[in-house]
Amino acid sequence: MTVAAEPQGLNFECETGNYHTFCPISCVAWLYQKIEDSFFLVIGTKTCGYFLQNAMGVMIFAEPRYAMAELEEGDISAQLNDYEELKRLCLQIKRDRNPSVIVWIGTCTTEIIKMDLEGLAPRLESEIGIPIVTARANGLDYAFTQGEDTVLAAMAARCPEKAPMVEGEKKEKNAIASLLNFGKKKEDIATEESEYVKHPPLVLFGSLPDPVVTNLTLELKKQGIKVSGWLPSKRYTELPVLEEGYYVSGVNPFLSRTATTLMRRRKCKLIGAPFPIGPDGTRAWIEKICSVFNIEPKGLDEREAQIWASVEDYVKLLRGKSVFLMGDNLLEISLARFLIRCGMTCPEIGIPYMDKRYQAAELALLEKTCHEMGVPTPRIVEKPDNYNQIQRIHELHPDLVITGMAHANPLEARGINTKWSVEFTFAQIHGFTNTRDILELVTRPLRRNNNLKDLGWDKLVKEEAKV
């Protein structure tokens, strides 16, 4: 018989461990694909170039829209003219690719030598006629996913305050609307327009694959909520309008800097909601947005129950097992909350950095989930010391450890099931429809080991682990 745990609050601790994580300049890997008319110029040393080449070597022959401006000894010792060198590179980019925007990615080296990228960019922008966005996505951050946060915060400052529309564009828009409505009755057109409830404009921020963007937009549409735009958009020229008083909501837990920029500089109102990861998080995200706009949510109970029923074959593999998150990409709180809802226990959540204000709703949902599932609330360790974590893992013997790539193989060699946390960064894990994809990732090492047991190889693995 299982005894329900006594309700208790979340326990936060802070260690002073090293940050074993990717460099934030890796955000180029997914952002250059998301913003189709962009070009990313990483300004750094040979080390940065080697990292990009290894991290994104698969795409090296696809003529990617990113490049490396390699700093040499003359640059670091201020013997060369930074402006002229960057101008030469940007003119070459304009001639070869002609992007709508060039994004300069600053690195650790540009920070250390105090290269004034923000001062150089406006002057060069006016000279070459292409917008230049400067983002310091360097290794001085806590987690590699914060590179996206830095880029989006810089782009938020470039979003138009009002949607400009010249007379020709108005006529074109009216013509397109006439074509779309051709053959429809006035009653049908009125019905389509009335699908949305009148509410203040809503802009969502966070880089997601196009199918996920469509799914989340449609989920809100079912509640009568219209999404006015996404940051980032597919094209830089289609950045969303951000006027004072607009509502904004994030879809990822590592975008606290972007949220702060939108509130303080653009005077937007942040909807502090849990993040739409897993059916429980997606439902809570939609319910929170509905509550802000005084809309009664419809059909979410049935929608969530339907999703849970469809993934029961995966959930039964997790029920009753334990998971330990070492900390890598700032998705840890959301993943732990979802896995606890699946029936797992989580003794510890390691996280490189915790913005308690931005993640307040997610933390509250985590605590609520623990109480409803009758399990102890996890210990949350910010900036964990990996050596101490390894000792705690040996003491706790969790069924699964979600960790960075640096520790996965050593733990596997000791007979501990692991899953790379970086895989959750690149997988489609948002919304109701991607629940199976998350569970496919989480259960893969458990299913693999079950297959090994059937083959009798588990005894051999244990013998090697002892040696």
Side-chain angles (χ1 to χ4, degrees):
M1 185 178 74
T2 305
V3 180
E6 288 291 324
Q8 53 182 305
L10 294 174
N11 179 26
F12 295 92
E13 296 182 25
C14 185
E15 295 181 343
T16 55
N18 295 322
Y19 313 127
H20 296 267
T21 180
F22 271 148
C23 177
I25 65 173
S26 58
C27 69
V28 174
W30 61 88
L31 287 177
Y32 93 88
Q33 297 183 72
K34 176 65 182 179
I35 310 168
E36 296 175 352
D37 58 349
S38 64
F39 193 98
F40 284 76
L41 183 64
V42 181
I43 305 168
T45 60
K46 277 187 171 66
T47 305
C48 307
Y50 293 146
F51 171 75
L52 284 176
Q53 190 172 4
N54 284 298
M56 300 187 283
V58 178
M59 298 172 265
I60 205 77
F61 302 109
E63 293 194 0
R65 296 185 313 280
Y66 64 86
M68 185 75 211
E70 193 175 289
L71 294 170
E72 297 178 349
E73 190 174 336
D75 299 294
I76 296 172
S77 60
Q79 293 176 0
L80 297 176
N81 189 318
D82 296 334
Y83 182 83
E84 292 301 326
E85 290 294 311
L86 288 170
K87 178 183 174 181
R88 179 181 61 81
L89 289 171
C90 289
L91 284 173
Q92 184 180 345
I93 292 167
K94 180 181 180 180
R95 183 176 63 251
D96 296 344
R97 299 300 178 88
N98 194 28
S100 297
V101 62
I102 298 174
V103 183
W104 286 355
I105 302 293
T107 61
C108 303
T109 310
T110 60
E111 290 288 304
I112 292 166
I113 67 174
K114 307 299 181 187
M115 185 179 283
D116 185 18
L117 297 178
E118 286 84 356
L120 297 172
R123 181 183 162 197
L124 185 53
E125 179 179 323
S126 62
E127 192 167 342
I128 68 174
I130 294 179
I132 298 175
V133 174
T134 304
R136 296 182 176 273
N138 54 68
L140 303 179
D141 275 330
Y142 294 99
F144 71 95
T145 48
Q146 288 181 288
E148 177 187 328
D149 190 20
T150 306
V151 173
L152 296 192
M155 284 198 169
R158 298 298 188 104
C159 290
E161 294 183 2
K162 289 187 179 179
M165 186 180 291
V166 297
E167 193 62 32
E169 290 177 343
K170 286 182 181 178
K171 290 180 180 178
E172 184 181 354
K173 187 175 180 180
N174 292 334
I176 293 171
S178 300
L179 287 171
L180 291 173
N181 295 327
F182 181 75
K184 293 182 180 179
K185 297 179 181 179
K186 289 184 178 180
E187 294 81 3
D188 295 335
I189 298 171
T191 302
E192 289 180 6
E193 292 176 350
S194 65
E195 287 181 359
Y196 296 111
V197 179
K198 286 187 177 180
H199 62 81
L202 171 68
V203 173
L204 304 178
F205 60 93
S207 177
L208 297 177
D210 292 339
V212 183
V213 167
T214 302
N215 285 336
L216 292 180
T217 303
L218 289 175
E219 292 292 348
L220 290 174
K221 182 181 178 182
K222 290 177 184 176
Q223 307 299 329
I225 297 172
K226 182 178 182 180
V227 178
S228 300
W230 280 80
L231 176 69
S233 52
K234 285 185 68 175
R235 299 182 63 83
Y236 177 79
T237 53
E238 298 170 357
L239 283 175
V241 175
L242 288 175
E243 294 185 27
E244 184 175 341
Y246 272 34
Y247 282 85
V248 294
S249 181
V251 295
N252 274 319
F254 47 76
L255 300 174
S256 57
R257 188 179 290 131
T258 305
T260 302
T261 301
L262 290 169
M263 287 189 292
R264 291 182 179 175
R265 295 194 177 181
R266 303 311 301 264
K267 309 300 181 186
C268 296
K269 298 178 180 178
L270 178 68
I271 299 176
F275 302 102
I277 296 172
D280 51 336
T282 305
R283 173 185 174 175
W285 181 71
I286 295 171
E287 285 179 339
K288 179 62 177 181
I289 294 174
C290 287
S291 69
V292 170
F293 294 144
N294 295 317
I295 296 172
E296 186 68 29
K298 299 172 291 185
L300 290 180
D301 290 339
E302 297 81 2
R303 184 86 167 106
E304 185 184 0
Q306 180 187 10
I307 296 298
W308 283 120
S310 68
V311 295
E312 176 60 27
D313 52 332
Y314 285 104
V315 172
K316 67 183 180 183
L317 292 173
L318 300 177
R319 199 172 286 128
K321 291 184 169 59
S322 59
V323 60
F324 189 108
L325 293 97
M326 291 191 70
D328 184 46
N329 56 11
L330 303 189
L331 292 170
E332 287 80 18
I333 302 294
S334 301
L335 287 174
R337 178 259 305 155
F338 167 67
L339 294 175
I340 289 170
R341 179 62 70 182
C342 290
M344 299 189 83
T345 58
C346 181
E348 179 172 322
I349 304 172
I351 187 167
Y353 167 73
M354 167 65 72
D355 189 320
K356 292 181 183 177
R357 294 174 301 172
Y358 181 60
Q359 293 212 47
E362 185 66 73
L363 290 168
L365 183 59
L366 170 65
E367 189 173 357
K368 178 185 175 185
T369 301
C370 291
H371 293 164
E372 290 178 353
M373 299 301 293
V375 300
T377 53
R379 171 190 189 200
I380 299 175
V381 182
E382 190 176 0
K383 293 184 288 186
D385 184 292
N386 295 130
Y387 178 80
N388 293 337
Q389 277 190 319
I390 297 294
Q391 307 308 312
R392 294 195 289 269
I393 288 171
H394 283 304
E395 293 170 6
L396 294 167
H397 301 292
D399 297 292
L400 178 68
V401 175
I402 297 177
T403 176
M405 289 191 289
H407 304 98
N409 286 346
L411 288 172
E412 286 282 352
R414 287 159 179 77
I416 298 169
N417 296 324
T418 64
K419 190 62 187 169
W420 289 353
S421 52
V422 71
E423 292 186 67
F424 296 97
T425 310
F426 294 99
Q428 297 184 15
I429 63 173
H430 295 76
F432 287 120
T433 55
N434 290 313
T435 304
R436 183 171 288 271
D437 291 348
I438 314 178
L439 292 171
E440 175 72 27
L441 287 174
V442 173
T443 59
R444 190 173 295 161
L446 301 176
R447 287 182 283 119
R448 178 196 64 208
N449 284 354
N450 287 340
N451 293 335
L452 288 175
K453 286 179 182 178
D454 294 339
L455 294 171
W457 289 359
D458 58 319
K459 296 179 181 178
L460 178 63
V461 171
K462 288 180 181 178
E463 289 298 322
E464 289 183 353
K466 290 178 182 178
V467 175

